[in-house]
Amino acid sequence: MKSRAFHGRLRIPLSTRAPGAYRVSVSLQPAPGYVVARRALERIVFVPALGPGSAGPSVYELDRRLHELHYALGSVDGYYGQDDLDAVTAFQKLHGLPRTGSVDARFWRELEQAHVPQARYPHGNHVEVSKGRQVLFVVRNGQVVLVVPVSTGATGNTPLGHWRVYSRVPGFNAKAMYYSSFFVGAYAIHGYHSVPPYPASHGCVRIPLWVAYRVYSLIDYGTSVYLYW
């Protein structure tokens, strides 16, 4: 605990020897006639640069914060795996950052200030896919509950509009599509071994293999799929 008497602004250095989330409680004892003021703050102290293979408290805090914002992760485990790379890429897509899949100081600043993304259609249960931002939102009761990176049609042929899931195919099919939810014609939301951070599919909405079953389990026959730019 530290105590200081001051007028105006005061800067107090804190001992932050290791990465992690630091919670600071400040209580001011004012001059007579003024009320007591209290404030609680949380700040993340981090290793600035993280990427695949990184591990430790900084990655754990990255996982914890991304999970809090509803970006899809395999687990909050402090290891920077494929799930972290995909979640970081999805965040970068939504916040106009370079789509590197790696974390730098600018990424941390955006992450600290970020909020859970807003659905374009704030009602009911459905799926939204933004072709412009290359992300998928699973929406429950009008709120985004899961954010997943996607890759749509390389030629721009993934059809815009409001569709409904009419066919569901578990596991792999003959075209290496994994846990597919078809919403119009031959177009489906499905897992695939390659999901680059730009449009690259034949027209389907590709999602990473590791999250495909989870997304599939949240989609049923008749589920609305909104595709917009």
Side-chain angles (χ1 to χ4, degrees), residues 135-194:
V135 292
L136 177 149
F137 299 141
V138 177
V139 180
R140 288 289 177 270
N141 298 317
Q143 304 296 314
V144 173
V145 298
L146 196 66
V147 185
V148 180
V150 305
S151 179
T152 58
T155 63
N157 58 329
T158 306
L160 300 175
H162 175 203
W163 314 100
R164 291 188 182 275
V165 173
Y166 72 89
S167 178
R168 303 173 75 239
V169 180
F172 283 103
N173 68 9
K175 295 184 178 180
M177 298 161 60
Y178 190 57
Y179 280 97
S180 306
S181 298
F182 289 87
F183 53 87
V184 59
Y187 298 109
I189 298 167
H190 66 84
Y192 201 65
H193 64 86
S194 174

Side-chain angles (χ1 to χ4, degrees), residues 200-225:
S201 79
H202 293 101
C204 287
V205 178
R206 294 182 186 175
I207 60 177
L209 285 174
W210 64 268
V211 77
Y213 175 74
R214 182 177 178 186
V215 172
Y216 181 85
S217 71
L218 295 171
I219 297 175
D220 206 347
Y221 287 98
T223 296
S224 286
V225 178

